[in-house]
Amino acid sequence: MDEGKALKIRLTFSVILVGISLMFAAVVTDHWAVLSHRVEHYNSTCEAAHFGLWRLCTKQFYIQDKATKERSCGVITLTGDRNCSYFKHFSPGQSTEIFERTTQKEYSISAAAIAIFSVGFAIIGTICILLSFRKKMDYLLKPASMFYTFAGLCMIISVEVMRQSVKRMIDSKETIWIEYYYSWSFACACASFVLLFICGIALLLISLPRFPQNPWESCMDAEPEH
């Protein structure tokens, strides 16, 4: 592997590490979506919830803005009392009745399982690319690039499953939630998809042999890599 190619691989791998960090941040945190319910009286307590792949947190705060539209909680603050618990289907001893009432648990299980596949693909890709830095093992760059691409695709599928879960909660007449927004964990997941997918494709292109510069050349005629 020549120095120019090795430099490109190291730069691409640096960006991939950023994408992996964002992916881990999204998977382990619980700020994918923030929900609020309808309120009937102002100067009262409003309950909001934020959740991720594994855990649901509810918190209460006081409403002080009388001009809030649509009788929602208005601007949701992250301060105040917070009660967090893991989803019942992941931790049987925990209680998450609010979440069980508002969406099907299959959505949560599917999103978490797909995210675990994404983490696994990223770990295997990292092992392959680290081994590729050894002499005569640069053939591992191609599978590494595919693993990173698959990791990005799995993450965006998990994002879509979570988005559908939130949409069903808001649209359902059996729920108390009327307002929502996606938070920073959701943004980390989307950013990790962009970085892992693009850099996976870039790594694949870098690992390919040099294309012939002239029409009459073939790949076998290209100068060998040192």
Side-chain angles (χ1 to χ4, degrees), residues 72-161:
S72 66
C73 292
V75 179
I76 299 175
T77 177
L78 297 179
T79 60
D81 298 333
R82 185 175 66 172
N83 182 22
C84 296
S85 59
Y86 289 93
F87 294 145
K88 188 181 299 182
H89 39 271
F90 294 126
S91 180
Q94 299 286 343
S95 175
T96 55
E97 296 180 357
I98 295 177
F99 188 83
E100 295 296 335
R101 288 200 310 266
T102 55
T103 188
Q104 298 177 357
K105 67 179 182 180
E106 286 80 8
Y107 277 94
S108 176
I109 295 175
S110 299
I114 296 171
I116 290 298
F117 276 109
S118 179
V119 172
F121 284 137
I123 292 175
I124 298 174
T126 302
I127 294 174
C128 290
I129 200 170
L130 290 177
L131 291 176
S132 69
F133 288 122
R134 295 185 178 182
K135 293 182 178 180
K136 298 182 179 181
M137 296 188 70
D138 54 346
Y139 59 87
L140 292 175
L141 290 174
K142 295 182 182 66
S145 65
M146 299 306 298
F147 282 127
Y148 286 131
T149 304
F150 292 153
L153 291 175
C154 287
M155 183 53 62
I156 198 61
I157 294 173
S158 181
V159 166
E160 178 59 22
V161 172

Side-chain angles (χ1 to χ4, degrees), residues 18-27 31-32 118 151-163 182-198:
V18 176
I20 294 176
S21 301
L22 292 173
M23 179 186 65
F24 275 105
V27 170
H31 286 78
W32 283 61
S118 179
L153 291 175
C154 287
M155 183 53 62
I156 198 61
I157 294 173
S158 181
V159 166
E160 178 59 22
V161 172
M162 182 64 72
R163 194 183 69 84
Y182 298 110
S183 192
W184 57 270
S185 297
F186 188 88
C188 287
C190 294
S192 67
F193 156 70
V194 174
L195 294 179
L196 290 175
F197 184 81
I198 293 178

Side-chain angles (χ1 to χ4, degrees), residues 10 69 93 158 175:
R10 288 187 175 91
K69 298 180 180 180
S158 181
T175 65

